[in-house]
Structure formats: C-alpha cells, structure tokens
Amino acid sequence: MSKKQPSRPAKRSQKVSKGNAGKTAHKQKTQRSWQRRLFGVLWKLAVLGLVLLVFYLMYLDTMLSKRFANARYEAPALLYSRAMVIDTQQQLQREEILRELQTLDYRNSRYARNPGEYQQQGNDLLVFRRAFDFPDRVEPGVRIRLRFSANGQLVGLESWPEQQALNEIRLEPQLIGRFASDNNEDRLLVGLEQVPVLMQDTLLLVEDQDFYHHFGIKPSSIVRAALVNIAARRTVQGGSTITQQLIKNMYLTHDQTIRRKINEAFMALILDYRFSKDEILEAYFNEVYFGQDRGHAIHGIGLASQFFYGKTPEDLTPAEIAMLIGMVKGPSLYNPYRNSERAQDRRDLVLRLMYSGDLISQTQYLAAIEAPLVTRASNRLVARQRADYVDYVQRELRELVPGNAWQETGLRVFTYFDPWLQTMLEHAVVERMQELPDTEVQAAAVVTDHQTGTLRAMVGGRVRVQGGFNRAFQARRQIGSLIKPFVYTLALEDSAEFSLATILDDSELSLRNERGDEWRPSNFDNEFLGPLPLYQSWLDSRNIPAIQTALAITPAKVRERLYSMGATGAIHAYPSLALGTIDLSPVQVNQLYGFLANHGKGYALSSIAGITTHRGELVYLDQREPHRVFSEEAAYLARYASFGVVEYGTGRMLGREIREPLGGKTGSTNELRDSWFVSFDNQYILTVWLGRDDNQPIGLTGSHGGIPVAQRLWQQTGVRALDLTPPNNVQMYAWNADTGIWLAEHCFANTTRVSSRPDSVRLPGITRPEYATVDCSEYEQQVQEALQEKTEEERPRSWWRRVFSGG
C-alpha cells in the first residue's frame, strides 16, 4: 500500500506566490510613497518657483516702472550758436545771408518748396526757413522773400506768397557742440506730438503692425521667428515687438540667449501693463539707435533728423521719413553716408510699403523716389568743433545748472557764439602766428559785443584748443598800459580838476614802493618830456603822467573802480597799479573795456543766452541789465581819446589801414613779455594777447604784436563806425595848449579867433557852470597871468604839432 505524500511543494509555491505578491505590493507601496514625496517636492518647488517668480516680477515691475517713469534716458547738453536776425535796419549784405544759409545746410533749389531750401531770383531771394523751438518761443517754418538793392544790400523783407511786410526774422542757430551724458550717448528728446503722424504710422507698418493691439509680446511672431531660425540654423528673423525692442535697447544686452529673451518678454509685459502705448512709442522714438558720430552714439529721431537732414522731425519729408525708419533695422548696414546703394534700396522698399499701405499718394511716392538720401553736406553732427568757445560755455553752464541732474531731461544751451566772427578771428590769429619766427609765442583773442555784454568769438591758443589750457580766459597776465585809460577816465569824472587838456608832468619821479625801497619808474623810451597835456599822455602811453594822475586820485580809488567793473584777484593799491601790475585774462580785459566803449555802462560778460530742456521747458533766460561805472561824460572823453590813439597815437599802424573810426589801446609789460592790443568799434571789442607760457620776453610791443591781428579782423568784418557824438554836457572847447586853461571864445570875440590862435587846441570837455557865467575881464587877466609863468625858452615844442605830425 502506497503512502500518500502531503502536497508541501504546493504550499511552498503558495507561500512563494504570497511572498512575491507581498514584495510586489511593498514595492508598489514604496513607489507610490516615493511618487507622493516627489510630487510633494515638485509641488513645493513649483510653489517656491511661483513665489520666486512673483517676487522677481515684482522686482522687475518696481525697477522698470521707476526707471522708465523717472530716468528713461541720459541726454546730453546740445550747444547752439546765436540765431542770425535778418533785419532791414542792419544793412545786411546778400553775401552774408547766403553764407549763413549755406552753413546751415540750406539747399539751393528750383522753387524753395520745402523747409531748408532757398531760391535765387534776380535781386530777390526766396527762403523756406525751418521751424525751430527758440528759448522764448516756437517759430514755425515760413517762406519769406528778401529783396536786395543793386549793390546787394537788404532793403525789404516779406512773407511769401502773402507778401506781408516783416520787421525781422530769425534763422535757426547752428549746432556748435555738445556735452555728452555719462553714458556718452547723444539724443535730442522729443515729445510724441513732435513726431509726424506719417512717421509714427510708417514705423508701425514696418516694425509692429499690431502694436496697439497686443500686450507687449506677440507669441505667434515669436513662434514663427523661432521656426525660421531653426530651419536656417542661425538667427535670420526676429519676433520682437516695438515694446521688446525698446526693452532690449534701454535695459538689456543684445546677447542672443534664452535668459535674455525671457527677461525681455517679462519686462515687455510689465511695461505694456504699466504704461500707455503712446508713452512706449514716444520712448522708442527717443531711444532708437542711428549710428555713431565721433565716438558718440546717436539715439532718437530728434537728433537723427538733425544729423542727417539738419531739420526737426516736424519738417521731414516722406523720403526722409522712409530713410530714417529704414535705418532702424540696421543703422550701420543702411547708413546713407557709408552704404548709399543699400540705404537707397532700403529707403525705396519702405516707400513702397508706405504707398501700398495708403500712407502716401502716388505723387508723393514718385517725388520721394527721386529725392536725395541726405541733404546735409557734412556727415558730422557738429561740422566744425569750436572747442575754444565751448570751453568757456561749459564753465558758465556749471554755474547756472550745477550737478548732473540735467541729464535726465537733457539741455539745449543757446549761446551768443558767432560762427563767422570765429572763423575770421581764427584766420587772423593763425596768419599772425605764421609770421613770427618764435614758435613758442602763444596767442589769445576775444571778441565781445559791448552793447549787450556778450561773448561772440574766442581763440585760446596759436592752435585750436582741444580741452586743454585756454589762454583766452584761463591765462592771467599783467595788462601793462591797458590800465591807463581807466586811470584817466576816473580822473576825468572830476571836471573841476581834470580835462583832456590838463597839463601833467612827465619828469623823473622817485617813490617808495610797498617794501619801502626807492622806485624810479621810467617811460618806454627812457625819456622825459616834461609838461604834457593828459590827451597826449594818453595817446603816447606815457608812464609818468599816468602815475601822477593815479597818485592824484589815489590808487585805492582806482582799485575800487576796477573791482566794480568785475576785475578779480589781488589788486594792490600801490602807485605801480597805474602801470598795470595786475593779472587779468583777455576775457576780463574785454569786460573792463566794455564800460568805456558802451558809454560808461557795462556787463559781466556772458556766453549763454538761454537754456531749455530738450522738450522746451525754460531753465534760464539771460535778462542781465547793465550797470553804470563811469559817468556818460567821462566815458565819452575816453572814447574820444581812444579814437585818437588809433588815429595819431601808439595804435596809428591800425588807423593807417582802417579808415573808419575805431578806438584802441596798446599795452606791453616789462621786458616785452606780453603784447596787448584792444580795439573797438560801435559794437564789438577785440582784445589780442601775445606771449609765451614760460613768461620769457617775446620782443614785441603792443602795436607790433597785436595790431596785425586786429587789422586782419576789422578788414574782413568791416567797422561799425565808433559813435563820437558827444552827450549833452560835453562839447568842443578851446584850451591853451601849454597851460591846459580853458579859453572862453566869447571873451576873444573882438580879437583873434581862439580856434586860429597858435597856442590853442580844440578838445571836447565837460561843461561846467562857470563856463556860462565867466567874467571876461577877470578871465583874460587869469589867462595872461598863467601864460606869463611860462617863458618861450621853457615852452617845449607844441604837443599837438608833435601828435599830428607823428613826431
């Protein structure tokens, strides 16, 4: 009988199955637990990432909103010249106006139909003056006709075609320089209202047609661009909106990375949410890049229109708009100065888009196709640097607008700079320097308008100053004999004691100087002429009479008057002050002489007429008033004597060449270390200085050093004849030449005419009450007594004969 075995293997199998099932369940349980943990971690990371993203977006929002609202740009200070005023009362010549138009890049055209064009019609000149935002008001573009006489002088001014007479009109000023912002970017900020609607529509047509309908980004454009780039295996197409382009230009780099693209998208969404479409579009027009100018980046449509066309955006034609909008895609690639063919193809493509999009008519399209790419002859924003003058403007600007906060709005600085005067002055200085064998001799020259106290032209060295040492206002040198007219004018205010005929003693003089040492001054020729009238002493620049006069009125009073005119630095009230032992710059000399040339009134000189922001908000407007330092009567006598210096005195080298009335004064210092010459007509003062930086002698007197420069300038610019009409209290009188006594002509009515007496001379004098009430019998006795004091042997050769004979 077989024994039945128990089914143990089945049990083991069952146990194995149960074990495997348990393991599987455990494994599944473990997997579910791990998945739950992973999901939890991922969830937490997602929440953390979301929180971080929210905080990052909040940071971007705060940063972007603040920067965009308050400090979108760093804008430069743009410097402009004076605006030429066309006025029939100024006796302007046709050549002067044409020269200014050509400098401003006006085009000689057939009809002068567009701003910035002119047409010559016989004796008439049609000009389409561009619009310009002046500091005092905005003046629109206007078409005018200028009428000239047969000899070329302006005789009429009227609007065209209305033919309404005009009193005057201003041409826009020239851009003469800029002070770059900290980021070295140049731009001229404009409001969206200043950008033509045609330009706005063209930009949207070419760059972002859905600008007013998306939220800062266009996903469809991004996907399309990505597919094209993947297929080409390089970046050939962009999907950026105008908002994204603005973000990239203002805040991000141009690196083609995912991180930068994501940042750009986030920031575009925020910008679009926080600011209006018009604000974004305005910012784009001010930020878009248009290339380089001498290392400065040109940004914004405001400066680009000036750079390429010399216009404001409002005056741009369809062809010019198409050119600028076409350049947005590639400023270097489509630069019309460098790549004219590519630039023209790009411009014509944009014009076709404008025409097909009904932005321009067929007539406008055909005219635009034939238009030139650019209208400015120069490919530089500032055609010619004026560093000498700009140096002075920068110093004055720092005083008027301190700090760097102005970079947020930019500045437009309107100066009194006259480009043509500057050019003539530079030529005069350069030609004089070429004549001198010593190449170490330096020069400085300054032209100011004494009627307005304004700086018009400046040369700071024998070669153009480039941010270096500007001798026109930074060099302080002894002025020598230039001080004598102020000593004499101050004395002439006391008409009871001094007149042009007052006899001064040109004799040896011994004084104690400030150190207690004996001082024995001499004249330039080391001679002493004895008694001399003040007038002759002035004309011949005698030293001893000037010292005697200063001692009579006291050096302290001379110092006080110099300070009241704006002289700075240490001025010691010593007798040597009468010989010009003070250090002044050429600019300061011009300021002082302005009081003599302008009838006793003058100004602290200024180079800046007005300052506005780029948007036109007024920051500063020059409203200075002159202040009187000398009486009108004494100032007239000074002008009369200054005229005599040029006609008969130390400045007669100039008088022989320039036949119109000019005033002047020569000056030199010990051992001929400095050569000065000041000359002035009825409007301008020119100061010329020659010397060496190491203060070594140059061997040139005031007349031989500076007069050739003055002669060249006045011959080129012409002279506005010095006004020698005396004021009410001054008239011509007869004076005894040897005693300086006034000769009452009515007391000699029955004898020899005073004017024909050999011992008399006629000079202007300040009227005194006793002149009208003099008792002739007493007067004649006083004259005879005075004459008897001088014998024929003591009497020197008549001074006026020496003066008028050139001896």
Side-chain angles (χ1 to χ4, degrees), residues 2 69 137 184 188 226 297 310 321 361 395 399 425 560 607 631 647 657 763:
S2 62
R137 65 180 181 271
N184 216 34
L188 174 59
I321 288 173
S361 66
R395 187 182 77 162
E399 297 174 357
L425 185 61
E560 178 186 351
S607 64
S631 69
E647 288 293 300
E657 300 296 330
L763 289 170

Side-chain angles (χ1 to χ4, degrees), residues 652-666:
R652 58 184 177 273
M653 284 178 56
L654 178 64
R656 286 197 292 262
E657 300 296 330
I658 308 295
R659 303 313 304 168
E660 292 292 334
L662 277 170
K665 183 68 187 78
T666 57

Side-chain angles (χ1 to χ4, degrees), residues 105-149:
D105 288 313
Y106 275 67
R107 295 175 59 242
N108 188 359
S109 70
R110 187 173 181 181
Y111 300 108
R113 290 174 175 169
N114 298 310
E117 295 180 346
Y118 68 92
Q119 174 195 8
Q120 302 188 56
Q121 295 181 338
N123 287 337
D124 293 350
L125 190 65
L126 286 180
V127 179
F128 201 143
R129 199 279 309 273
R130 301 179 183 120
F132 195 81
D133 186 3
F134 291 94
D136 53 348
R137 65 180 181 271
V138 177
E139 294 189 7
V142 61
R143 202 166 181 229
I144 58 173
R145 182 164 70 176
L146 291 79
R147 296 185 178 275
F148 297 90
S149 64

Side-chain angles (χ1 to χ4, degrees), residues 1-12:
M1 175 175 139
S2 62
K3 193 174 178 179
K4 196 174 185 180
Q5 297 294 326
S7 55
R8 290 182 180 177
K11 288 182 179 180
R12 282 198 302 269

Side-chain angles (χ1 to χ4, degrees), residues 200 259 274 342 385 415 452 454 484 524 572 651 723:
Q200 298 180 40
R259 179 181 178 183
R274 287 293 187 188
R342 287 179 180 173
Q385 295 293 329
T415 73
T452 58
T454 55
K484 293 173 184 175
F524 176 76
H572 301 293
D723 182 10

Side-chain angles (χ1 to χ4, degrees), residues 212-410:
Y212 280 98
H213 305 291
H214 59 62
F215 299 102
I217 62 173
K218 286 179 63 178
S220 60
S221 296
I222 295 174
V223 171
R224 182 184 66 252
L227 293 175
V228 172
N229 294 338
I230 291 172
R233 295 185 179 181
R234 60 188 177 92
T235 301
V236 296
Q237 189 177 107
S240 298
T241 63
I242 281 179
T243 311
Q244 288 175 277
Q245 293 179 41
L246 178 62
I247 291 293
K248 178 176 62 178
N249 291 335
M250 292 184 72
Y251 305 114
L252 300 176
T253 68
H254 290 257
D255 297 336
Q256 297 293 329
T257 63
I258 296 297
R259 179 181 178 183
R260 204 268 297 162
K261 285 287 187 181
I262 293 173
N263 264 336
E264 178 185 295
F266 283 150
M267 295 171 79
L269 289 168
I270 291 170
L271 195 67
D272 193 89
Y273 175 75
R274 287 293 187 188
F275 298 93
S276 70
K277 292 290 188 180
D278 284 350
E279 288 178 294
I280 295 172
L281 190 59
E282 178 183 290
Y284 185 88
F285 275 118
N286 283 302
E287 180 61 29
V288 61
Y289 174 64
F290 283 97
Q292 295 280 328
D293 175 40
R294 289 192 179 100
H296 295 264
I298 300 295
H299 285 265
I301 202 67
L303 205 57
S305 60
Q306 178 70 43
F307 181 67
F308 292 104
Y309 300 105
K311 297 180 179 181
T312 60
E314 298 98 316
D315 284 339
L316 293 173
T317 65
E320 294 162 353
I321 288 173
M323 183 69 259
L324 294 178
I325 296 301
M327 289 183 67
V328 170
K329 183 178 180 181
S332 298
L333 186 63
Y334 301 115
N335 186 307
Y337 289 118
R338 299 175 184 172
N339 303 306
S340 58
E341 291 186 8
R342 287 179 180 173
Q344 181 157 347
D345 290 342
R346 178 65 178 168
R347 183 202 67 174
D348 293 348
L349 171 61
V350 175
L351 283 171
R352 287 195 294 274
L353 292 174
M354 293 167 70
Y355 175 55
S356 62
D358 292 327
L359 298 183
I360 57 175
S361 66
Q362 185 181 35
T363 302
Q364 289 175 306
Y365 170 72
L366 294 176
I369 289 291
E370 299 299 323
L373 289 178
V374 291
T375 56
R376 288 190 70 232
S378 173
N379 63 347
R380 301 297 187 190
L381 185 61
V382 180
R384 188 177 182 193
Q385 295 293 329
R386 308 292 189 173
D388 295 37
Y389 191 93
V390 169
D391 281 348
Y392 191 88
V393 175
Q394 187 171 28
R395 187 182 77 162
E396 189 173 348
L397 181 63
R398 289 195 187 108
E399 297 174 357
L400 296 174
V401 188
N404 294 326
W406 57 265
Q407 294 185 15
E408 296 180 8
T409 59

Side-chain angles (χ1 to χ4, degrees), residues 489 492 500 538 595-596 599-600 630-643 722-727 730-732 763-766:
T489 305
L492 289 169
L500 290 178
W538 192 325
F595 289 90
L596 300 184
H599 311 281
F630 293 110
S631 69
E632 185 179 4
E633 294 79 11
Y636 171 79
L637 297 180
R639 286 204 311 284
Y640 184 89
S642 298
F643 165 69
L722 190 65
D723 182 10
L724 295 175
T725 305
V730 175
Q731 63 184 63
M732 296 299 291
L763 289 170
I766 300 174

Side-chain angles (χ1 to χ4, degrees), residues 420-670:
W420 186 65
L421 269 179
Q422 177 72 26
T423 300
M424 294 301 100
L425 185 61
E426 288 176 2
H427 288 170
V429 171
V430 168
E431 289 173 6
R432 183 66 181 121
M433 292 296 98
Q434 291 173 345
E435 296 170 348
L436 300 177
D438 186 353
T439 58
E440 295 300 315
V441 174
Q442 285 290 345
V446 178
V447 177
T448 54
D449 184 329
H450 60 76
Q451 294 183 358
T452 58
T454 55
L455 189 64
R456 308 306 295 271
M458 174 185 292
V459 171
R462 65 181 297 136
V463 296
R464 191 175 304 141
V465 174
Q466 296 291 343
F469 185 56
N470 192 323
R471 296 162 189 83
F473 69 92
Q474 291 177 319
R476 296 173 64 93
R477 305 287 291 232
Q478 282 200 359
I479 65 171
S481 297
L482 294 187
I483 200 172
K484 293 173 184 175
F486 302 102
V487 174
Y488 290 136
T489 305
L490 186 55
L492 289 169
E493 288 189 316
D494 185 357
S495 60
E497 296 293 332
F498 290 94
S499 71
L500 290 178
T502 297
I503 301 300
L504 303 175
D505 188 12
D506 185 13
S507 302
E508 290 189 63
L509 184 65
S510 177
L511 298 170
R512 293 289 176 183
N513 63 20
E514 60 275 12
R515 295 183 297 274
D517 300 329
E518 185 182 24
W519 179 48
R520 302 177 67 87
S522 62
N523 292 302
F524 176 76
D525 56 8
N526 292 317
E527 295 182 2
F528 301 95
L529 302 181
L532 290 176
L534 187 152
Y535 183 64
Q536 183 189 358
S537 301
W538 192 325
L539 267 57
D540 292 343
S541 196
R542 308 298 294 178
N543 288 343
I544 306 303
I547 296 173
Q548 298 280 22
T549 305
L551 290 173
I553 60 178
T554 74
K557 193 172 182 180
V558 176
R559 178 180 62 180
E560 178 186 351
R561 195 62 61 95
L562 290 171
Y563 278 139
S564 69
M565 290 187 289
T568 59
I571 302 178
H572 301 293
Y574 305 139
S576 59
L577 179 60
L579 301 186
T581 55
I582 62 171
D583 297 336
L584 297 177
S585 68
V587 167
Q588 289 178 306
V589 169
N590 269 56
Q591 179 168 311
L592 267 58
Y593 269 83
F595 289 90
L596 300 184
N598 193 42
H599 311 281
K601 298 186 295 183
Y603 303 80
L605 289 178
S606 175
S607 64
I608 297 178
I611 305 172
T612 71
T613 65
H614 285 190
R615 300 290 181 87
E617 295 95 351
L618 186 64
V619 176
Y620 166 79
L621 188 64
D622 183 13
Q623 296 178 320
R624 296 167 301 132
E625 294 292 335
H627 65 284
R628 181 168 293 283
V629 167
F630 293 110
S631 69
E632 185 179 4
E633 294 79 11
Y636 171 79
L637 297 180
R639 286 204 311 284
Y640 184 89
S642 298
F643 165 69
V645 169
V646 175
E647 288 293 300
Y648 314 111
T650 57
R652 58 184 177 273
M653 284 178 56
L654 178 64
R656 286 197 292 262
E657 300 296 330
I658 308 295
R659 303 313 304 168
E660 292 292 334
L662 277 170
K665 183 68 187 78
T666 57
S668 56
T669 57
N670 289 339

